[in-house]
Amino acid sequence: MDNNIKYIKGIGPKKQMLLKSELQINTIEELLCYYPYKYIDRTKFATVKEAKQSTDTVQCKGWITQIKTEGFGPKERLIAYFTDGEAFIDLVFFAGVKYLKQSLKTKEPYILFGKPNRFGKDISIVHPELTLAKEENSTGGLYPQYHTTEKMKKEGIQSKNIFQFVCNALKVLDKEEVENLPSWLIKYRNLISKQDALKGIHCPSSYDELNAATYRLKFEELFFNQLKVIYLKIDREQKYKGNIFPHIGPLFNDFYTKHIPFELTNAQKRVIKEVRQNMKGGIQMNRLVQGDVGSGKTMVAFMTALIAIDNGFQACLMAPTEILASQHLASILEMKHDLPLNVRLLTGSTKVAERRIIHQELEDGTLDLLIGTHALIEDKVKFKQLGLVIIDEQHRFGVAQRAKLWSKSVIPPHILVMTATPIPRTLAMTLYGDLDVSLIDELPPGRKPIVTKHFFESKRAKINEFIQDELDKGHQVYVVYPLIEESKNMDFKNLENGFEQIKEDFPDHKISIVHGKLKPKEKDSEMMRFKNHESHIMVATTVIEVGVNVPNASVMIIESAERFGLSQLHQLRGRVGRGADQAYCILVTGDKISKVSKTRMETMVNHHDGFKISEVDLELRGPGDIEGLQQSGDILDLKLADITKDADLLADVRQIIFKISEKDKKLSHPANNKLLQMLIKTNKSLFNWSDIS
Ligand code: ADP
Ligand code: MG
């Protein structure tokens, strides 16, 4: 399986290079894992007359009566007249003309695959697949279709050629060597062999065969995904001993008995308990705290930091933006009262003099808690005794950045990752299956659900009337515009126009504007103006998305809401409803929106739970597109399994692996040797990822 594809019959150096550069296929295994994207039912043939009526791919028997070329040079194309004796259809080739001119034969029986196109009155098939009937090599039943690129087609590699390579590869495989699951597991779940599965997925003779093959390969895919995830965790727990924080000290106790501004929710209490258990146990903590917007993660972070500091260690809290970092500083300074706790802020705009103090205090150990942005991970920043790293709004940080933090201490610090992007359970298992997860599944008491409405653009007057009412009550309003990289200028224009319009519509009110083109300083001062109620309406792009806390703001207007993803909409909505008054979120869209956009709006109107919303998001978009998770794509490279549809299979697989791991922590039992081999083989590429989060 690890052999280069050049050893397969039919693949010369040129095709080898093309498969490598176009499809990243190097080995036989990679070729065999290049699964068909669909199958054509080989038992069905259409007449040419029927084909001309069809808009879907068809299969016909017939022959070519004449071949001619038109145009010259790069514009040259080849036209072949194809018939079954009853009707004619034109076959048109723009690529590979020279090759086809030599190889296509007239009057020989061909089998034709292709999708008819209509140009005015003319019906033709562009770049059909033609196979000489006598060379026909399918096992019958279902004929696989593989994706190819334009460049490959030009060089004469079409779907059918890939099929040919696959067939040739399958012929030389050894059943025993191909099998990558232990025989006990195959029996236990009644799976077909790997070899049969590969045959079944590439050349199935029936749907039953295809299904059995797909099931086995999905099982294997999820199994190895989870085996990695679960055993990496076991491995890490054995390898890295964590700092032990045995005490609950004066900082924590004083804070909890004297200064805490509110009763913790049960969920907050539970999570703090989980974290504490984890940090005193001698195993390095790698914990993900998931909590919806407004669930009170900052408090959990702060109290966790107090535990670390009480035990003589330093802690740091990393936020994705300067605004957020300074907001964390402000709320922590407020919470700490007169506790003897040295807290400082380090961001890109920290002055040199302050930086010097910070570096000094970090190294001599007098700085207890450092809050900051990416600036925290610069090499210059050295801690005396870093014991805890808290990462807020985790999805904004790249894997490499987190890796740097990890290396700041000999014994790795405990890590607490806090995310407000709820991800569905199944996705969490595949992505963060090696992390311990704590859930803040409860909002502080007294929060009223945010009343959410969807309005069409044409109802602008009504929306303005509503805004006016809320302003009259002394409330503040956000108006958010989308900002999407590719069309920055256009979006900026929308924002500016919107700003002008709002000034005109609400002449008696002060308006702030915040967008990505402002310098961090200007952004912060505008935000502060709004926070201090010196302005009443905040016109902004999504820069305000994360974490900003203005309890008096009661209305969130989201313009062009159809251009936002669900989790982004949910995040934005979470900016309001932080005070005691009823809050509103108004989604404004164009009058005509797609079905998917409509579902998104309905989901927002009907649901307030971030987890539920993330599940709909997953269904609508597929895991690869979930916001903030794109960078994790490499971890999620499932080819066949779909974690939404195959959730049961995923659960089954995990349960099997847990059972294995109870008895065989090192996978040293001979019966599990295949699993160990697989882990060793695939671990290399995952190593960096596994160590950090
Ligand atoms: P998020 O989880 O989105 O980061 P925050 O930590 O910013 O949420 O908390 C949101 C608001 O709720 C803050 O104003 C915070 O002071 C308040 N809060 C947090 N926990 C509680 C609680 N147990 N009771 C009442 N209010 C709380
Ligand atoms: Mg927060």
Side-chain angles (χ1 to χ4, degrees):
M1 289 289 254
D2 293 330
N3 280 348
N4 194 288
I5 45 169
K6 70 182 173 198
Y7 298 113
I8 296 172
K9 196 175 149 221
I11 302 185
K14 204 167 159 191
K15 294 200 166 90
Q16 181 204 345
M17 287 318 290
L18 260 176
L19 286 166
K20 181 178 173 172
S21 62
E22 294 295 292
L23 302 178
Q24 287 76 51
I25 294 175
N26 297 294
T27 64
I28 294 183
E29 177 164 24
E30 283 161 356
L31 175 69
L32 293 177
C33 287
Y34 191 67
Y35 301 127
Y37 68 95
K38 72 168 184 184
Y39 303 83
I40 290 173
D41 194 339
R42 193 95 242 215
T43 54
K44 285 186 194 137
F45 283 90
T47 64
V48 170
K49 199 171 159 193
E50 283 162 352
K52 292 175 93 162
Q53 311 287 326
S54 170
T55 51
D56 205 1
T57 308
V58 288
Q59 178 179 234
C60 301
K61 283 182 199 156
W63 63 93
I64 294 167
T65 57
Q66 197 193 341
I67 296 166
K68 66 168 191 177
T69 55
E70 285 177 2
F72 291 99
K75 289 217 170 115
E76 189 180 29
R77 62 199 161 113
L78 181 142
I79 299 162
Y81 299 105
F82 186 88
T83 183
D84 58 358
E86 182 193 24
F88 279 91
I89 191 163
D90 293 358
L91 311 181
V92 185
F93 298 87
F94 298 99
V97 170
K98 213 168 118 194
Y99 166 79
L100 286 163
K101 229 179 347 188
Q102 291 166 0
S103 61
L104 283 182
K105 299 184 170 68
T106 53
K107 302 194 186 79
E108 292 260 3
Y110 271 104
I111 294 183
L112 163 78
F113 278 115
K115 203 171 183 172
N117 290 303
R118 202 172 292 267
F119 298 104
K121 263 191 194 164
D122 295 333
I123 297 168
S124 63
I125 302 183
V126 178
H127 285 216
E129 281 186 24
L130 282 169
T131 318
L132 279 171
K134 63 180 181 209
E135 285 175 7
E136 228 290 291
N137 131 340
S138 142
T139 47
L142 303 165
Y143 189 76
Q145 298 288 294
Y146 302 87
H147 284 298
T148 55
T149 64
E150 278 311 311
K151 198 165 165 201
M152 290 169 68
K153 285 195 188 103
K154 231 176 237 168
E155 301 290 335
I157 306 185
Q158 301 183 17
S159 174
K160 67 166 182 186
N161 303 96
I162 294 184
F163 181 52
Q164 188 63 57
F165 303 151
V166 167
C167 290
N168 291 346
L170 283 172
K171 271 181 215 151
V172 297
L173 287 185
D174 177 298
K175 192 173 177 116
E176 280 304 309
E177 277 169 36
V178 180
E179 188 53 70
N180 53 3
L181 290 177
S183 53
W184 67 262
L185 182 55
I186 293 178
K187 278 198 207 99
Y188 183 50
R189 277 294 173 261
N190 224 344
L191 302 169
I192 64 172
S193 73
K194 172 86 176 197
Q195 194 176 28
D196 287 346
L198 288 172
K199 275 200 183 116
I201 198 147
H202 289 289
C203 17
S205 53
S206 69
Y207 282 105
D208 283 347
E209 210 176 300
L210 176 62
N211 290 341
T214 310
Y215 184 80
R216 142 86 211 214
L217 294 170
K218 270 185 189 176
F219 180 95
E220 166 191 328
E221 191 170 51
L222 289 174
F223 186 86
F224 285 120
N225 170 294
Q226 291 299 300
L227 188 75
K228 239 180 297 188
V229 155
I230 293 168
Y231 269 85
L232 282 174
K233 180 170 182 237
I234 293 172
D235 183 49
R236 198 174 46 205
E237 287 173 357
Q238 288 173 339
K239 231 191 307 195
Y240 298 110
K241 296 296 166 221
N243 292 308
I244 301 178
F245 298 170
H247 314 294
I248 285 293
L251 286 173
F252 189 97
N253 282 332
D254 279 1
F255 176 72
Y256 194 60
T257 49
K258 293 187 199 143
H259 301 307
I260 194 164
F262 38 67
E263 172 86 8
L264 293 178
T265 63
N266 286 328
Q268 283 170 317
K269 282 185 197 161
R270 192 188 64 238
V271 171
I272 292 170
K273 214 177 262 169
E274 285 166 0
V275 167
R276 164 154 162 66
Q277 285 305 325
N278 207 164
M279 295 195 304
K280 74 176 186 187
I283 287 174
Q284 186 243 350
M285 174 171 75
N286 267 279
R287 187 169 287 275
L288 177 76
V289 174
Q290 282 201 68
D292 217 338
V293 269
S295 60
K297 293 186 288 294
T298 315
M299 181 55 80
V300 171
F302 180 58
M303 293 181 69
T304 304
L306 291 182
I307 299 176
I309 299 163
D310 266 336
N311 283 277
F313 284 85
Q314 295 167 303
C316 69
L317 167 58
M318 190 157 72
T321 64
E322 291 210 3
I323 296 181
L324 267 179
S326 23
Q327 194 173 285
H328 278 316
L329 178 78
S331 49
I332 283 174
L333 287 180
E334 196 184 314
M335 285 195 279
K336 94 177 184 79
H337 288 270
D338 52 358
L339 292 176
L341 187 67
N342 187 8
V343 189
R344 290 189 190 272
L345 179 72
L346 179 65
T347 68
S349 41
T350 303
K351 294 264 160 44
V352 180
E354 171 74 3
R355 258 169 211 271
R356 226 171 264 144
I357 299 175
I358 290 175
H359 288 164
Q360 187 54 49
E361 289 187 349
L362 277 178
E363 288 193 45
D364 66 23
T366 47
L367 185 53
D368 300 313
L369 174 58
L370 182 62
I371 300 172
T373 53
H374 299 70
L376 287 191
I377 56 179
E378 285 168 12
D379 291 331
K380 280 175 293 187
V381 182
K382 294 200 178 72
F383 293 81
K384 183 167 182 235
Q385 271 263 50
L386 180 62
L388 171 71
V389 175
I390 301 167
I391 303 173
D392 194 14
E393 313 294 355
Q394 166 261 347
H395 64 287
R396 297 288 175 99
F397 278 108
V399 165
Q401 290 168 321
R402 280 182 270 142
K404 266 187 140 174
L405 261 174
W406 178 273
S407 62
K408 279 193 179 293
S409 184
V410 187
I411 294 184
H414 294 300
I415 298 203
L416 192 68
V417 173
M418 302 197 296
T419 173
T421 309
I423 47 177
R425 252 179 70 75
T426 50
L427 187 58
M429 277 186 221
T430 30
L431 273 182
Y432 302 118
D434 74 320
L435 294 189
D436 294 305
V437 179
S438 286
L439 222 55
I440 312 187
D441 49 4
E442 180 187 359
L443 292 179
R447 295 268 172 83
K448 300 181 189 115
I450 299 158
V451 174
T452 306
K453 293 248 151 79
H454 170 210
F455 278 97
F456 290 110
E457 188 65 48
S458 47
K459 293 278 168 14
R460 182 65 62 186
K462 223 172 156 187
I463 299 170
N464 281 351
E465 213 173 282
F466 173 74
I467 295 177
Q468 189 62 56
D469 280 353
E470 285 293 305
L471 288 170
D472 289 345
K473 288 185 205 156
H475 292 155
Q476 288 163 281
V477 177
Y478 289 106
V479 184
V480 176
Y481 289 84
L483 185 65
I484 292 164
E485 286 300 319
E486 306 98 70
S487 52
K488 240 178 189 161
N489 286 330
M490 195 189 97
D491 284 323
F492 189 62
K493 199 141 189 290
N494 284 343
L495 179 79
E496 274 190 324
N497 291 343
F499 180 60
E500 293 304 323
Q501 188 62 50
I502 288 166
K503 269 207 289 202
E504 216 169 277
D505 291 344
F506 303 97
D508 305 332
H509 292 276
K510 294 222 166 57
I511 300 159
S512 281
I513 179 164
V514 167
H515 52 79
K517 287 190 177 175
L518 294 181
K519 300 217 174 70
K521 276 248 143 56
E522 301 170 306
K523 227 189 278 176
D524 280 0
S525 87
E526 277 297 278
M527 284 306 304
M528 283 320 281
R529 219 159 69 87
F530 187 65
K531 203 172 158 123
N532 297 335
H533 207 167
E534 288 154 29
S535 62
H536 310 105
I537 302 176
M538 164 62 77
V539 178
T541 57
T542 45
V543 290
I544 61 141
E545 182 189 334
V546 200
V548 180
N549 199 7
V550 183
N552 189 50
S554 66
V555 182
M556 169 63 66
I557 312 272
I558 304 177
E559 298 286 345
S560 306
E562 70 269 33
R563 290 176 54 191
F564 290 92
L566 262 178
S567 80
Q568 219 177 359
L569 290 172
H570 180 63
Q571 286 285 314
L572 284 169
R573 178 167 63 181
R575 296 305 107 217
V576 296
R578 303 191 149 223
D581 299 301
Q582 178 61 57
Y584 303 88
C585 174
I586 296 186
L587 309 164
V588 188
T589 69
D591 293 340
K592 277 200 186 121
I593 52 173
S594 70
K595 220 171 138 187
V596 172
S597 299
K598 204 154 172 223
T599 310
R600 276 202 221 118
M601 298 310 128
E602 281 163 7
T603 306
M604 287 298 295
V605 169
N606 295 326
H607 297 286
H608 293 87
D609 173 9
F611 288 93
K612 174 71 204 166
I613 290 172
S614 74
E615 259 156 37
V616 178
D617 203 21
L618 184 63
E619 272 164 40
L620 288 181
R621 290 146 56 97
D625 283 333
I626 291 272
E627 262 159 54
L629 296 181
Q630 282 90 345
Q631 66 199 33
S632 326
D634 50 340
I635 310 164
L636 253 189
D637 57 352
L638 299 174
K639 287 193 166 83
L640 285 174
D642 172 330
I643 54 174
T644 321
K645 294 189 188 114
D646 299 318
D648 291 346
L649 185 56
L650 179 65
D652 180 43
V653 154
R654 274 175 77 82
Q655 173 248 328
I656 295 173
I657 297 170
F658 282 131
K659 267 199 199 142
I660 299 175
S661 70
E662 273 167 27
K663 294 205 190 101
D664 193 6
K665 269 208 163 47
K666 289 194 145 62
L667 288 179
S668 49
H669 195 285
N672 292 328
N673 188 263
K674 286 209 150 96
L675 304 182
L676 181 65
Q677 294 310 321
M678 191 62 151
L679 265 191
I680 292 170
K681 187 173 153 190
T682 50
N683 212 357
K684 281 179 229 142
S685 64
L686 257 136
F687 188 73
N688 289 333
W689 167 70
S690 71
D691 262 3
I692 23 172
S693 57

